[in-house]
């Protein structure tokens, strides 16, 4: 709010104004896709009158004009410049091999063995929701995608050796007793300049 006030004060000092045509276009774009009654309900929901909305739009446009007047246009980089940047930062764009896995974490080996048996008939995801004590249990044990070195070493050792849909043996770690299921694997991808451009 302070920054907005400073910018609006500067716009006033420099006599930055918005034409009636620009305001009409801004209102048109804001209300586009709404029936008049529906848009009024949206305004009522956020406690805005039509006059308050016009004032906000006017302020936004005046700040945009002010900034446009003070920020020089930047020429797009040449292909040579892009290639130079890409060559220097190619490692940043390299996608390592990734795996998406689910886990069930429990406190005892016996419990883990029982769940492993149940997983032959029951969906791993449902067992994770009902049995796992891990934070992601409510997501069906879904750990999302990860590459090597981003999870505890035991995760890498197991998950990168499993095939999709395969369930691991019971794995012991400092956290407890785990079962892992690989959902999907993504191979490493070398960056392609033309795709990234």
């Amino acid at each position: 709010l302070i920054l907005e006030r400073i910018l609006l004060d500067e716009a006033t000092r420099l006599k930055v104004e918005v034409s009636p045509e620009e305001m009409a276009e801004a209102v048109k774009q804001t209300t586009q896709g709404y029936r008049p009654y529906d848009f009024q309900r949206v305004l009522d929901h956020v406690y805005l009158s039509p006059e308050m909305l016009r004032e906000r739009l006017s302020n936004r446009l005046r700040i945009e004009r002010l900034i446009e007047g003070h920020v020089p246009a930047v020429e797009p980089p040449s292909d040579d410049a892009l290639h130079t940047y890409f060559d220097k930062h190619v490692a940043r764009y390299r996608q390592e091999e990734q795996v998406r896995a689910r886990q069930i974490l429990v406190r005892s080996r016996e419990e883990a063995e029982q769940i492993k048996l149940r997983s032959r008939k029951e969906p791993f995801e449902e067992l994770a929701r009902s049995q796992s004590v891990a934070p992601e249990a409510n997501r069906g044990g879904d750990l999302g995608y990860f590459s090597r070195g981003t999870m505890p070493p035991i995760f890498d050792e197991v998950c990168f050796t499993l095939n999709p849909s395969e369930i691991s043996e019971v794995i012991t770690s400092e956290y407890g007793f785990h079962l892992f299921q690989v959902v999907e694997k993504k191979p490493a991808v070398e960056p392609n300049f033309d795709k990234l451009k």
Side-chain angles (χ1 to χ4, degrees), residues 51-67:
E51 295 75 26
M52 292 165 72
L53 173 67
R54 290 181 66 79
E55 182 182 355
R56 284 192 182 182
L57 290 173
S58 174
N59 289 346
R60 189 191 79 212
L61 290 170
R62 288 176 67 218
I63 289 171
E64 285 176 8
R65 300 292 175 279
L66 175 71
I67 292 171

Side-chain angles (χ1 to χ4, degrees), residues 16-23 57-59 61-62 65:
V16 176
E17 296 298 332
V18 177
S19 71
E21 293 79 20
E22 289 174 311
M23 272 305 301
L57 290 173
S58 174
N59 289 346
L61 290 170
R62 288 176 67 218
R65 300 292 175 279

